[in-house]
Amino acid sequence: MAEANQLFKEFKIQSVSEFFRRNAAMLGYTGKIRSLTTVIHEAVTNSLDACEEAGILPYVRVEIEELGREHYKVIVEDNGPGIPEKYITHVFGKMLAGTKAHRNIQSRGQQGIGISGAVMFAQITSGKATRVITSTGDDRIIEAWVKIDVDRNEGKIVKKEKHPNPKGWRGTRIELEVKNVRYVRSKQGIYWYLKLTAIANPHAHIELIEPDGKLIVFPRSSEDIPEPPVEMKPHPRGVLTDDVYRMAKKTRRSSVKRFLVGEFSRISDKKIDELVEYIAALRLIKTEDDKNVQEQLYERLMKGEVKAVLRSFKGYTKVVKQVAKLMDKPPEKLSWHEAEEIVEAFRYMKFLAPPTHGLRPIGEENIEKGLTNILKPEFVTAVTRSPKVYSGGIPFQVEVGLAYGGEIPGGFELLRYANRVPLLFDAGSCVTTLAARSVDWRRYKVDDLDRAPLVLMINVISVHVPYTGTGKQSIANVEEIQNEIRLAIMDAARRLQTYLSGKHRRLHQAKRRRTFEKYVPEIAKALSVLTGEPEEEVKNYFLSYIEGHFAAKEAGGAEEVSENA
Amino acid sequence: MPKPKAVRREKPRERFSYDPTKVLTRLEEYGKRILEDIKIGKNPYFDIPMRGIGNVYFDEKRRVIRMGDKLSRRYFLNVAHARKFMQTLLIMAYVKRLVSENKHASLREAYYANKHTIPGTKENTFEDQRESDPIIEDLERMMGVLREEMHLTADRRGYIYGDIVIRDGEDEFNTSKLGMGGWAVPGTVEHLQFPEINVDYALVVETAAMADRLIEEKFPKKEKALIIATQGQASRGVRRLIHRLHYEEGLPIIVFTDGDPYGWYIYSTIKQGSINLAYLSDKLATPEAKFVGMTMDDIKRYGLENVTEKLKGIPPNKKGGPTADYKRILEEMEYPWFQNREWQRQLKMAVKMGVRIEQQALANKSLEFVAKRYLPEKINSGDLLP
C-alpha cells in the first residue's frame, strides 16, 4: 500500500491561471470562430467600460490582420482613460482581479477574468506576448509586452518602452496574436458581434477593419454617456449561506445586527427583531418529533404566523433570548451554521422588493437611436419595462427594441443581450427566444414572422443574469423574466401594429387616389366636348378637388370624410 | 254579303315626334351640372334610375310594366363608381358628336369608337361591349330619351310584309312589293313615316317560317293584313314599330306565337313591355295587342293531339318540380296581365296536359290550313285572347 506521502508527491497547488488555462472553454474559448469573437469581446467590453467610468464618449477601433492560416493579429484601440503604468500587469495578467470583482453591481463582464483570459489565450495559441500601448494623456506613452506567469497567476512585462506624447494622446491599444481561430463574417463572428454592440451602445463609435482591408464603421448616434452602474447592497432573498458567511468575515461592523442592517438592503432594526423570532421558531420546529406537526408548523410560519408558532412551544422566550444574543456577536465570530440559520429564516420572511437604482437600462430613446442608426429601418420603437424581481430578491429589468422595414431584409432576426452584451450562441434555449416565439405575431399584423423584415432586440439587465451553463450565452427560462419579456414585446408589437395599420391605410389611400386621378384626363376630354370648357381647366378642377379631398382625409386621420356612398 | 270583320283599323291616338335638339340640350345640361359641382368642391354624380325587378311595377291603369322612381347615384369620387362615371361621360360626349353630326352608330361601333387604353395605365376605357351597352341603357333611363334618339342602333331583326308604304329618308316603298322576303325592320324606326296604309290589322308572327308560309299563301293580300315577323323575341325596332303602327296609325295588333311558355312570353313583352326596358314601356309596349294562338283549345278544336310535344322539365306535382317549361308557365300565371279567366285557363291546361304546340304543327292538316282556315276563322270571328 502506497503511503499518503508518496501519493501526495504529485499533488500541486493549481493557480487560478493554470485552472483557466486548462479550462479555456469556461471563458468562452471554444471553437475557432467563437474564440476570436471572445478575444474581441473582452477587449471591446473593457474599452467601453473604461470610457463610461471615465465619462468619455467611446471610440473603439478593431483591426483584424491575417498573418497565416488560422493565425491573426487582433488590434483593439480606444480613446479611454488609459492605464497607469503600475496597473498594466494587474489588468492584463492577473485573473480574478479588477475594479468590479465581488461587488454587487451590474456589469458587462464578470469576475475580471476577461482581458487576462484573452492575453492567456493569445499566449497559449501563439506563444506571443500581448502588446499594450497606453497613455493617460500625460507626456508619456507606455509600450509594454505582457505575458502571464501561469504558475504564479501574475502578469509579467517582458519588454517595455516609453515614448514621448507630444500630441497628448490618451487611450489604450492592445495587440494580440492568436492562432487556431478563424475570421468569418457569420452571425457568430466579429462583424455581427460589433454590429450588435453598436446597436446596444449608440453612444459608442465603433470601427472594424476586416482582414481584407475593408473598413466598416458603426457611427455614434447618441451623445449621452450611460451613467456608470452603482453598487447595490444584496437583498436578503437573493443571498446564499456562503455570501453571508464571507461577508460577515470581511465586514468592519461591530455586531451581527449592525452587519445585517448595514450591508443588506431592506433590513431594518425592526426586521432584526422579526428575524430573531423566525430563527427561534425554526429552531423550535426542528425539536418537534411528529413529522406531520412539523410540516404544519412550517406552513404556518410561511404564512407569517411566527408569534403563534412560537407560543405553541413551552418556554419559547428562552430560545428567543438565546437567538437575540446571536445578533450582538461580533460578525467575524458568526459560524457557518448560524449563517445557515439566518438565510433559512430569510426564506420565510417578507421583505420589500430590492432597490433597483443600480440597474442601467439602455433606455427607449437610445435603443431607438441604436436600431435606427445601424439598421436603417422605416419604423422603430422601444420599450423599457420597470424593474422586477425574480427568485424573490434578484432585481432585473427587461427592454426590447423593434425595428421594421427599410433596409432590413426579410426574415425575423432576434438580437439578444444581457447587460448590453450581445449573446451570439445557444439561442435556441434562451428565454428571449422562447418569449419571442411565444408571442402571436399575427395579432400585430405580422402575418408571416419568418419572412417579415423585423428585428427584435431584447436586453435583460440584472446584477445576476441567470445564464444557463458557463458559456454565458443563453439566459435561463425563469418564469418572471419570460413574462416581462413577453409583456415588453407585446407592448412594442402593439405600436408596430399601429404603424402597420397606418401604413396600410396610407397605401390604400394612395391607391384610391391614383384610381381617381387616372380617369381625370378621360373625364376632362368628355366634359370639354359636352360643355365647351377647355380640357386643361376641367382637368385642373378635378385634380384640385381630389387633392383637397385627400388632404382633408389625411388631416382627419382615420376619420372618414363623407363620401356619400 | 261578307260578314263585317271583328278587327279593323281605328283612329290614330298619338303623333310621332322626334326632336334631336332635346338630346343635345339634355347632354349639355348634365355636363354643365357636373362642372359646376366640381368647381364648388362637391362630389359630382349622376342620378340613374335603378334597373332590375326591384324598380319595376305594373301600371294597372295603362296596363304596362313601368319603371319605379328608385335612383342610384353614380359618384365620381367613389372607388366603386369612378370607372363607370368616366364611361358615362365618354358615351355622353360620343352621343353629342353623333347627334350633332347626324350620324348613326351601332352599339358595337359605339363600343369600339370609345375603347382605348387610358394613358399611363394598362387599363382600357372599355374592356368589353358588355360594359358599354349598360352605360347606354343607363343614359336612356337617366335622360328619358331612346337609344335610337341618341343615334345608337341595334342590329336589325324581324321583317314586315304588307300593303303599306314606308318613307325612309329619301326612299319610299311598298313593303308588299319587295319580294317574298318583305322589308327588314331596322334598329331605329323613329324616322320612318307611313304615307299609305292599306291593311286592316298587323299580324305579329313569332317564326320566320310561319311568316314565309303566310306570304306564300297570299294571306296578307287576301286578309288585308300586315305581317310582322319577330324571329323570336321581338327586337326593340320591331316593338317600337308595332307601337307606332298601333298608336299613330290605329292598326289593331294580333300576335301569333307557338303555344308554349316562350311564345306567351314574346306576347307578354309586346303587350306589356319587359322588366329590362320598363322605362321604355310608354314607347315600346302595346297593351291593346291581342293573341290569336296557338292556344291549348286549338289542340282539341283542330284535332292536333298527335302533333303536340311534351313540355320540358318536371311538373309541379312530381318530386323536384316544377322545373324548366313548367316553372316558366307557373311564373307567367303570376303575371298581373295574365290575371284573367281566359289566360289562367290556358296556362292551367298547358300544365295539366303537359304539352306544347308549335305554329308549324298546323301544317299537319295541310300547308294552306293556317292561311285559309285557322287564322281567318279565329280573327274574323274575334276569337282572340286578351
Side-chain angles (χ1 to χ4, degrees), chain A residues 516 518-519 522 526 529-531 533 541 545 549 563-565, chain B residues 28 31 35 39 41 43 75 77-78 83 89 96 116 118 123:
Chain A
F516 299 126
K518 76 179 167 198
Y519 294 136
E522 298 293 334
V529 170
L530 288 172
T531 62
E533 196 112 357
Y541 288 137
Y545 173 68
H549 172 82
E563 205 169 85
N564 307 314
Chain B
E28 264 162 47
L35 208 54
K39 277 184 192 171
N43 193 359
Y75 284 100
L77 203 77
N78 179 311
R83 181 174 165 84
L89 280 169
K96 185 183 173 182
H116 59 260
I118 299 170
E123 196 178 319

PDB file of all heavy atoms in Angstrom, chain A residues 516 518-519 522 526 529-531 533 541 545 549 563-565, chain B residues 28 31 35 39 41 43 75 77-78 83 89 96 116 118 123:
ATOM      1  N   PHE A 516     -58.687  57.527 -58.926  1.00  0.00           N
ATOM      2  CA  PHE A 516     -59.463  58.687 -59.373  1.00  0.00           C
ATOM      3  C   PHE A 516     -58.677  59.503 -60.387  1.00  0.00           C
ATOM      4  O   PHE A 516     -59.208  59.929 -61.410  1.00  0.00           O
ATOM      5  CB  PHE A 516     -59.854  59.560 -58.187  1.00  0.00           C
ATOM      6  CG  PHE A 516     -60.715  58.841 -57.190  1.00  0.00           C
ATOM      7  CD1 PHE A 516     -60.364  58.787 -55.854  1.00  0.00           C
ATOM      8  CD2 PHE A 516     -61.874  58.202 -57.595  1.00  0.00           C
ATOM      9  CE1 PHE A 516     -61.162  58.113 -54.937  1.00  0.00           C
ATOM     10  CE2 PHE A 516     -62.680  57.535 -56.696  1.00  0.00           C
ATOM     11  CZ  PHE A 516     -62.322  57.487 -55.363  1.00  0.00           C
ATOM     12  N   LYS A 518     -56.377  58.681 -62.467  1.00  0.00           N
ATOM     13  CA  LYS A 518     -56.127  58.151 -63.811  1.00  0.00           C
ATOM     14  C   LYS A 518     -57.314  58.413 -64.742  1.00  0.00           C
ATOM     15  O   LYS A 518     -57.142  58.464 -65.953  1.00  0.00           O
ATOM     16  CB  LYS A 518     -55.796  56.652 -63.727  1.00  0.00           C
ATOM     17  CG  LYS A 518     -57.003  55.765 -63.495  1.00  0.00           C
ATOM     18  CD  LYS A 518     -56.591  54.309 -63.438  1.00  0.00           C
ATOM     19  CE  LYS A 518     -57.737  53.485 -62.892  1.00  0.00           C
ATOM     20  NZ  LYS A 518     -57.354  52.193 -62.405  1.00  0.00           N
ATOM     21  N   TYR A 519     -58.521  58.582 -64.180  1.00  0.00           N
ATOM     22  CA  TYR A 519     -59.687  58.805 -65.040  1.00  0.00           C
ATOM     23  C   TYR A 519     -59.850  60.285 -65.415  1.00  0.00           C
ATOM     24  O   TYR A 519     -60.635  60.606 -66.301  1.00  0.00           O
ATOM     25  CB  TYR A 519     -60.962  58.318 -64.356  1.00  0.00           C
ATOM     26  CG  TYR A 519     -61.005  56.826 -64.141  1.00  0.00           C
ATOM     27  CD1 TYR A 519     -61.438  56.288 -62.939  1.00  0.00           C
ATOM     28  CD2 TYR A 519     -60.616  55.951 -65.157  1.00  0.00           C
ATOM     29  CE1 TYR A 519     -61.473  54.914 -62.745  1.00  0.00           C
ATOM     30  CE2 TYR A 519     -60.642  54.582 -64.972  1.00  0.00           C
ATOM     31  CZ  TYR A 519     -61.071  54.063 -63.757  1.00  0.00           C
ATOM     32  OH  TYR A 519     -61.105  52.720 -63.571  1.00  0.00           O
ATOM     33  N   GLU A 522     -59.562  61.447 -69.152  1.00  0.00           N
ATOM     34  CA  GLU A 522     -60.694  60.974 -69.947  1.00  0.00           C
ATOM     35  C   GLU A 522     -61.935  61.821 -69.665  1.00  0.00           C
ATOM     36  O   GLU A 522     -62.656  62.243 -70.562  1.00  0.00           O
ATOM     37  CB  GLU A 522     -60.998  59.503 -69.616  1.00  0.00           C
ATOM     38  CG  GLU A 522     -59.860  58.542 -69.949  1.00  0.00           C
ATOM     39  CD  GLU A 522     -59.611  58.429 -71.437  1.00  0.00           C
ATOM     40  OE1 GLU A 522     -60.565  58.668 -72.207  1.00  0.00           O
ATOM     41  OE2 GLU A 522     -58.469  58.134 -71.827  1.00  0.00           O
ATOM     42  N   ALA A 526     -64.085  64.397 -72.195  1.00  0.00           N
ATOM     43  CA  ALA A 526     -65.520  64.232 -72.443  1.00  0.00           C
ATOM     44  C   ALA A 526     -66.298  65.478 -72.010  1.00  0.00           C
ATOM     45  O   ALA A 526     -67.158  65.979 -72.736  1.00  0.00           O
ATOM     46  CB  ALA A 526     -66.029  63.001 -71.708  1.00  0.00           C
ATOM     47  N   VAL A 529     -65.986  68.266 -74.400  1.00  0.00           N
ATOM     48  CA  VAL A 529     -66.876  68.090 -75.549  1.00  0.00           C
ATOM     49  C   VAL A 529     -68.295  68.515 -75.177  1.00  0.00           C
ATOM     50  O   VAL A 529     -68.978  69.200 -75.935  1.00  0.00           O
ATOM     51  CB  VAL A 529     -66.857  66.619 -76.028  1.00  0.00           C
ATOM     52  CG1 VAL A 529     -67.963  66.374 -77.059  1.00  0.00           C
ATOM     53  CG2 VAL A 529     -65.496  66.256 -76.613  1.00  0.00           C
ATOM     54  N   LEU A 530     -68.728  68.134 -73.973  1.00  0.00           N
ATOM     55  CA  LEU A 530     -70.118  68.387 -73.574  1.00  0.00           C
ATOM     56  C   LEU A 530     -70.382  69.855 -73.258  1.00  0.00           C
ATOM     57  O   LEU A 530     -71.460  70.374 -73.522  1.00  0.00           O
ATOM     58  CB  LEU A 530     -70.478  67.531 -72.351  1.00  0.00           C
ATOM     59  CG  LEU A 530     -70.650  66.028 -72.611  1.00  0.00           C
ATOM     60  CD1 LEU A 530     -70.802  65.289 -71.299  1.00  0.00           C
ATOM     61  CD2 LEU A 530     -71.855  65.763 -73.508  1.00  0.00           C
ATOM     62  N   THR A 531     -69.400  70.533 -72.679  1.00  0.00           N
ATOM     63  CA  THR A 531     -69.660  71.885 -72.182  1.00  0.00           C
ATOM     64  C   THR A 531     -68.915  72.965 -72.946  1.00  0.00           C
ATOM     65  O   THR A 531     -69.222  74.146 -72.791  1.00  0.00           O
ATOM     66  CB  THR A 531     -69.243  72.013 -70.703  1.00  0.00           C
ATOM     67  OG1 THR A 531     -67.838  71.768 -70.620  1.00  0.00           O
ATOM     68  CG2 THR A 531     -69.971  71.012 -69.837  1.00  0.00           C
ATOM     69  N   GLU A 533     -65.955  73.809 -72.376  1.00  0.00           N
ATOM     70  CA  GLU A 533     -64.930  74.374 -71.480  1.00  0.00           C
ATOM     71  C   GLU A 533     -63.563  73.758 -71.840  1.00  0.00           C
ATOM     72  O   GLU A 533     -63.494  72.589 -72.194  1.00  0.00           O
ATOM     73  CB  GLU A 533     -65.315  74.023 -70.045  1.00  0.00           C
ATOM     74  CG  GLU A 533     -64.603  74.823 -69.038  1.00  0.00           C
ATOM     75  CD  GLU A 533     -65.455  75.796 -68.251  1.00  0.00           C
ATOM     76  OE1 GLU A 533     -66.680  75.943 -68.487  1.00  0.00           O
ATOM     77  OE2 GLU A 533     -64.859  76.383 -67.396  1.00  0.00           O
ATOM     78  N   TYR A 541     -59.696  71.411 -62.350  1.00  0.00           N
ATOM     79  CA  TYR A 541     -60.794  71.391 -61.366  1.00  0.00           C
ATOM     80  C   TYR A 541     -60.842  70.039 -60.659  1.00  0.00           C
ATOM     81  O   TYR A 541     -60.915  69.948 -59.436  1.00  0.00           O
ATOM     82  CB  TYR A 541     -62.145  71.631 -62.049  1.00  0.00           C
ATOM     83  CG  TYR A 541     -62.372  73.046 -62.529  1.00  0.00           C
ATOM     84  CD1 TYR A 541     -62.928  73.296 -63.780  1.00  0.00           C
ATOM     85  CD2 TYR A 541     -62.056  74.138 -61.711  1.00  0.00           C
ATOM     86  CE1 TYR A 541     -63.159  74.580 -64.232  1.00  0.00           C
ATOM     87  CE2 TYR A 541     -62.270  75.430 -62.161  1.00  0.00           C
ATOM     88  CZ  TYR A 541     -62.820  75.653 -63.418  1.00  0.00           C
ATOM     89  OH  TYR A 541     -63.034  76.919 -63.844  1.00  0.00           O
ATOM     90  N   TYR A 545     -59.783  69.102 -56.803  1.00  0.00           N
ATOM     91  CA  TYR A 545     -60.822  68.527 -55.938  1.00  0.00           C
ATOM     92  C   TYR A 545     -60.302  67.263 -55.243  1.00  0.00           C
ATOM     93  O   TYR A 545     -60.466  67.093 -54.036  1.00  0.00           O
ATOM     94  CB  TYR A 545     -62.068  68.210 -56.756  1.00  0.00           C
ATOM     95  CG  TYR A 545     -63.110  67.457 -55.960  1.00  0.00           C
ATOM     96  CD1 TYR A 545     -63.784  68.084 -54.900  1.00  0.00           C
ATOM     97  CD2 TYR A 545     -63.393  66.127 -56.231  1.00  0.00           C
ATOM     98  CE1 TYR A 545     -64.728  67.393 -54.153  1.00  0.00           C
ATOM     99  CE2 TYR A 545     -64.333  65.434 -55.492  1.00  0.00           C
ATOM    100  CZ  TYR A 545     -64.997  66.070 -54.453  1.00  0.00           C
ATOM    101  OH  TYR A 545     -65.907  65.376 -53.710  1.00  0.00           O
ATOM    102  N   HIS A 549     -59.660  66.674 -51.243  1.00  0.00           N
ATOM    103  CA  HIS A 549     -60.326  65.577 -50.549  1.00  0.00           C
ATOM    104  C   HIS A 549     -59.341  64.757 -49.740  1.00  0.00           C
ATOM    105  O   HIS A 549     -59.566  64.464 -48.567  1.00  0.00           O
ATOM    106  CB  HIS A 549     -61.032  64.687 -51.564  1.00  0.00           C
ATOM    107  CG  HIS A 549     -61.588  63.439 -50.973  1.00  0.00           C
ATOM    108  ND1 HIS A 549     -62.801  63.408 -50.314  1.00  0.00           N
ATOM    109  CD2 HIS A 549     -61.092  62.184 -50.907  1.00  0.00           C
ATOM    110  CE1 HIS A 549     -63.026  62.182 -49.892  1.00  0.00           C
ATOM    111  NE2 HIS A 549     -62.005  61.413 -50.230  1.00  0.00           N
ATOM    112  N   GLU A 563     -68.380  60.589 -48.073  1.00  0.00           N
ATOM    113  CA  GLU A 563     -68.224  60.345 -49.494  1.00  0.00           C
ATOM    114  C   GLU A 563     -69.586  60.056 -50.100  1.00  0.00           C
ATOM    115  O   GLU A 563     -69.711  59.775 -51.282  1.00  0.00           O
ATOM    116  CB  GLU A 563     -67.306  59.159 -49.668  1.00  0.00           C
ATOM    117  CG  GLU A 563     -66.590  59.143 -50.989  1.00  0.00           C
ATOM    118  CD  GLU A 563     -65.512  58.096 -50.949  1.00  0.00           C
ATOM    119  OE1 GLU A 563     -65.844  56.948 -51.210  1.00  0.00           O
ATOM    120  OE2 GLU A 563     -64.376  58.440 -50.627  1.00  0.00           O
ATOM    121  N   ASN A 564     -70.562  60.073 -49.295  1.00  0.00           N
ATOM    122  CA  ASN A 564     -71.953  59.868 -49.703  1.00  0.00           C
ATOM    123  C   ASN A 564     -72.226  58.485 -50.267  1.00  0.00           C
ATOM    124  O   ASN A 564     -73.294  58.230 -50.791  1.00  0.00           O
ATOM    125  CB  ASN A 564     -72.385  60.909 -50.748  1.00  0.00           C
ATOM    126  CG  ASN A 564     -72.115  62.307 -50.258  1.00  0.00           C
ATOM    127  OD1 ASN A 564     -72.431  62.610 -49.111  1.00  0.00           O
ATOM    128  ND2 ASN A 564     -71.514  63.119 -51.082  1.00  0.00           N
ATOM    129  N   ALA A 565     -71.304  57.621 -50.239  1.00  0.00           N
ATOM    130  CA  ALA A 565     -71.570  56.271 -50.752  1.00  0.00           C
ATOM    131  C   ALA A 565     -70.563  55.283 -50.204  1.00  0.00           C
ATOM    132  O   ALA A 565     -69.468  55.650 -49.900  1.00  0.00           O
ATOM    133  CB  ALA A 565     -71.502  56.269 -52.263  1.00  0.00           C
TER     134      ALA A 565
ATOM    135  N   GLU B  28     -75.944  68.666 -72.617  1.00  0.00           N
ATOM    136  CA  GLU B  28     -75.242  69.858 -72.175  1.00  0.00           C
ATOM    137  C   GLU B  28     -75.590  70.191 -70.724  1.00  0.00           C
ATOM    138  O   GLU B  28     -74.725  70.569 -69.932  1.00  0.00           O
ATOM    139  CB  GLU B  28     -75.565  71.047 -73.078  1.00  0.00           C
ATOM    140  CG  GLU B  28     -74.507  71.220 -74.149  1.00  0.00           C
ATOM    141  CD  GLU B  28     -74.990  72.074 -75.305  1.00  0.00           C
ATOM    142  OE1 GLU B  28     -75.573  73.152 -75.048  1.00  0.00           O
ATOM    143  OE2 GLU B  28     -74.804  71.651 -76.466  1.00  0.00           O
ATOM    144  N   GLY B  31     -73.587  67.945 -68.470  1.00  0.00           N
ATOM    145  CA  GLY B  31     -72.180  68.333 -68.462  1.00  0.00           C
ATOM    146  C   GLY B  31     -71.959  69.572 -67.605  1.00  0.00           C
ATOM    147  O   GLY B  31     -71.042  69.619 -66.790  1.00  0.00           O
ATOM    148  N   LEU B  35     -69.773  70.023 -64.041  1.00  0.00           N
ATOM    149  CA  LEU B  35     -68.706  71.014 -63.970  1.00  0.00           C
ATOM    150  C   LEU B  35     -68.920  71.992 -62.807  1.00  0.00           C
ATOM    151  O   LEU B  35     -67.982  72.346 -62.100  1.00  0.00           O
ATOM    152  CB  LEU B  35     -68.653  71.770 -65.301  1.00  0.00           C
ATOM    153  CG  LEU B  35     -67.301  72.332 -65.708  1.00  0.00           C
ATOM    154  CD1 LEU B  35     -66.234  71.250 -65.713  1.00  0.00           C
ATOM    155  CD2 LEU B  35     -67.403  72.960 -67.083  1.00  0.00           C
ATOM    156  N   LYS B  39     -66.462  72.470 -59.509  1.00  0.00           N
ATOM    157  CA  LYS B  39     -65.898  73.799 -59.248  1.00  0.00           C
ATOM    158  C   LYS B  39     -66.119  74.232 -57.811  1.00  0.00           C
ATOM    159  O   LYS B  39     -65.274  74.889 -57.208  1.00  0.00           O
ATOM    160  CB  LYS B  39     -66.530  74.834 -60.175  1.00  0.00           C
ATOM    161  CG  LYS B  39     -65.903  74.887 -61.554  1.00  0.00           C
ATOM    162  CD  LYS B  39     -66.531  76.006 -62.375  1.00  0.00           C
ATOM    163  CE  LYS B  39     -66.142  75.907 -63.827  1.00  0.00           C
ATOM    164  NZ  LYS B  39     -66.911  76.852 -64.654  1.00  0.00           N
ATOM    165  N   GLY B  41     -66.366  72.243 -55.354  1.00  0.00           N
ATOM    166  CA  GLY B  41     -65.832  71.240 -54.433  1.00  0.00           C
ATOM    167  C   GLY B  41     -66.860  70.233 -53.966  1.00  0.00           C
ATOM    168  O   GLY B  41     -66.798  69.746 -52.835  1.00  0.00           O
ATOM    169  N   ASN B  43     -68.748  66.549 -54.738  1.00  0.00           N
ATOM    170  CA  ASN B  43     -68.527  65.300 -55.466  1.00  0.00           C
ATOM    171  C   ASN B  43     -69.583  65.158 -56.562  1.00  0.00           C
ATOM    172  O   ASN B  43     -70.753  64.978 -56.268  1.00  0.00           O
ATOM    173  CB  ASN B  43     -68.630  64.138 -54.473  1.00  0.00           C
ATOM    174  CG  ASN B  43     -68.110  62.835 -55.046  1.00  0.00           C
ATOM    175  OD1 ASN B  43     -67.690  62.789 -56.195  1.00  0.00           O
ATOM    176  ND2 ASN B  43     -68.138  61.793 -54.250  1.00  0.00           N
ATOM    177  N   TYR B  75     -71.269  58.358 -58.323  1.00  0.00           N
ATOM    178  CA  TYR B  75     -70.353  59.442 -57.977  1.00  0.00           C
ATOM    179  C   TYR B  75     -69.041  59.341 -58.721  1.00  0.00           C
ATOM    180  O   TYR B  75     -68.601  58.251 -59.088  1.00  0.00           O
ATOM    181  CB  TYR B  75     -70.037  59.387 -56.478  1.00  0.00           C
ATOM    182  CG  TYR B  75     -71.150  59.898 -55.613  1.00  0.00           C
ATOM    183  CD1 TYR B  75     -72.007  59.015 -54.989  1.00  0.00           C
ATOM    184  CD2 TYR B  75     -71.323  61.247 -55.419  1.00  0.00           C
ATOM    185  CE1 TYR B  75     -73.035  59.472 -54.185  1.00  0.00           C
ATOM    186  CE2 TYR B  75     -72.340  61.723 -54.621  1.00  0.00           C
ATOM    187  CZ  TYR B  75     -73.187  60.829 -54.011  1.00  0.00           C
ATOM    188  OH  TYR B  75     -74.195  61.292 -53.214  1.00  0.00           O
ATOM    189  N   LEU B  77     -66.201  60.527 -57.083  1.00  0.00           N
ATOM    190  CA  LEU B  77     -65.251  60.166 -56.033  1.00  0.00           C
ATOM    191  C   LEU B  77     -65.767  59.002 -55.210  1.00  0.00           C
ATOM    192  O   LEU B  77     -66.164  59.167 -54.068  1.00  0.00           O
ATOM    193  CB  LEU B  77     -64.960  61.369 -55.133  1.00  0.00           C
ATOM    194  CG  LEU B  77     -63.626  61.244 -54.411  1.00  0.00           C
ATOM    195  CD1 LEU B  77     -62.488  61.543 -55.357  1.00  0.00           C
ATOM    196  CD2 LEU B  77     -63.564  62.147 -53.210  1.00  0.00           C
ATOM    197  N   ASN B  78     -65.775  57.864 -55.828  1.00  0.00           N
ATOM    198  CA  ASN B  78     -66.134  56.651 -55.137  1.00  0.00           C
ATOM    199  C   ASN B  78     -65.454  55.551 -55.929  1.00  0.00           C
ATOM    200  O   ASN B  78     -65.642  55.434 -57.136  1.00  0.00           O
ATOM    201  CB  ASN B  78     -67.655  56.479 -55.150  1.00  0.00           C
ATOM    202  CG  ASN B  78     -68.090  55.198 -54.460  1.00  0.00           C
ATOM    203  OD1 ASN B  78     -67.549  54.141 -54.733  1.00  0.00           O
ATOM    204  ND2 ASN B  78     -69.059  55.306 -53.581  1.00  0.00           N
ATOM    205  N   ARG B  83     -64.967  54.466 -62.340  1.00  0.00           N
ATOM    206  CA  ARG B  83     -64.801  53.977 -63.717  1.00  0.00           C
ATOM    207  C   ARG B  83     -66.093  54.166 -64.523  1.00  0.00           C
ATOM    208  O   ARG B  83     -66.069  54.671 -65.644  1.00  0.00           O
ATOM    209  CB  ARG B  83     -64.399  52.502 -63.665  1.00  0.00           C
ATOM    210  CG  ARG B  83     -64.179  51.879 -65.030  1.00  0.00           C
ATOM    211  CD  ARG B  83     -63.637  50.455 -64.893  1.00  0.00           C
ATOM    212  NE  ARG B  83     -63.759  49.731 -66.134  1.00  0.00           N
ATOM    213  CZ  ARG B  83     -62.880  49.791 -67.140  1.00  0.00           C
ATOM    214  NH1 ARG B  83     -61.827  50.575 -67.009  1.00  0.00           N
ATOM    215  NH2 ARG B  83     -63.048  49.109 -68.241  1.00  0.00           N
ATOM    216  N   LEU B  89     -69.558  59.582 -69.027  1.00  0.00           N
ATOM    217  CA  LEU B  89     -69.217  60.837 -69.693  1.00  0.00           C
ATOM    218  C   LEU B  89     -68.665  60.605 -71.099  1.00  0.00           C
ATOM    219  O   LEU B  89     -68.962  61.357 -72.029  1.00  0.00           O
ATOM    220  CB  LEU B  89     -68.205  61.620 -68.851  1.00  0.00           C
ATOM    221  CG  LEU B  89     -68.825  62.401 -67.682  1.00  0.00           C
ATOM    222  CD1 LEU B  89     -67.742  62.905 -66.755  1.00  0.00           C
ATOM    223  CD2 LEU B  89     -69.652  63.568 -68.205  1.00  0.00           C
ATOM    224  N   LYS B  96     -73.128  63.151 -78.198  1.00  0.00           N
ATOM    225  CA  LYS B  96     -73.246  64.542 -78.638  1.00  0.00           C
ATOM    226  C   LYS B  96     -72.695  64.702 -80.064  1.00  0.00           C
ATOM    227  O   LYS B  96     -73.295  65.356 -80.903  1.00  0.00           O
ATOM    228  CB  LYS B  96     -72.497  65.460 -77.673  1.00  0.00           C
ATOM    229  CG  LYS B  96     -72.711  66.921 -78.047  1.00  0.00           C
ATOM    230  CD  LYS B  96     -71.966  67.904 -77.192  1.00  0.00           C
ATOM    231  CE  LYS B  96     -72.158  69.303 -77.806  1.00  0.00           C
ATOM    232  NZ  LYS B  96     -71.429  70.325 -77.066  1.00  0.00           N
ATOM    233  N   HIS B 116     -60.252  52.637 -75.697  1.00  0.00           N
ATOM    234  CA  HIS B 116     -58.823  52.859 -75.874  1.00  0.00           C
ATOM    235  C   HIS B 116     -58.133  52.735 -74.527  1.00  0.00           C
ATOM    236  O   HIS B 116     -58.781  52.740 -73.479  1.00  0.00           O
ATOM    237  CB  HIS B 116     -58.554  54.232 -76.501  1.00  0.00           C
ATOM    238  CG  HIS B 116     -59.089  55.372 -75.684  1.00  0.00           C
ATOM    239  ND1 HIS B 116     -60.279  56.005 -75.972  1.00  0.00           N
ATOM    240  CD2 HIS B 116     -58.608  55.981 -74.578  1.00  0.00           C
ATOM    241  CE1 HIS B 116     -60.498  56.954 -75.074  1.00  0.00           C
ATOM    242  NE2 HIS B 116     -59.505  56.959 -74.224  1.00  0.00           N
ATOM    243  N   ILE B 118     -56.244  53.876 -71.370  1.00  0.00           N
ATOM    244  CA  ILE B 118     -56.127  55.127 -70.627  1.00  0.00           C
ATOM    245  C   ILE B 118     -54.641  55.467 -70.502  1.00  0.00           C
ATOM    246  O   ILE B 118     -53.867  54.627 -70.033  1.00  0.00           O
ATOM    247  CB  ILE B 118     -56.767  55.001 -69.231  1.00  0.00           C
ATOM    248  CG1 ILE B 118     -58.256  54.681 -69.381  1.00  0.00           C
ATOM    249  CG2 ILE B 118     -56.553  56.272 -68.408  1.00  0.00           C
ATOM    250  CD1 ILE B 118     -58.927  54.302 -68.081  1.00  0.00           C
ATOM    251  N   GLU B 123     -55.009  50.065 -68.363  1.00  0.00           N
ATOM    252  CA  GLU B 123     -56.444  49.877 -68.314  1.00  0.00           C
ATOM    253  C   GLU B 123     -57.103  50.464 -69.566  1.00  0.00           C
ATOM    254  O   GLU B 123     -56.688  51.509 -70.058  1.00  0.00           O
ATOM    255  CB  GLU B 123     -56.963  50.602 -67.069  1.00  0.00           C
ATOM    256  CG  GLU B 123     -58.359  50.217 -66.656  1.00  0.00           C
ATOM    257  CD  GLU B 123     -58.765  50.957 -65.376  1.00  0.00           C
ATOM    258  OE1 GLU B 123     -57.918  51.078 -64.463  1.00  0.00           O
ATOM    259  OE2 GLU B 123     -59.902  51.410 -65.319  1.00  0.00           O
TER     260      GLU B 123
END
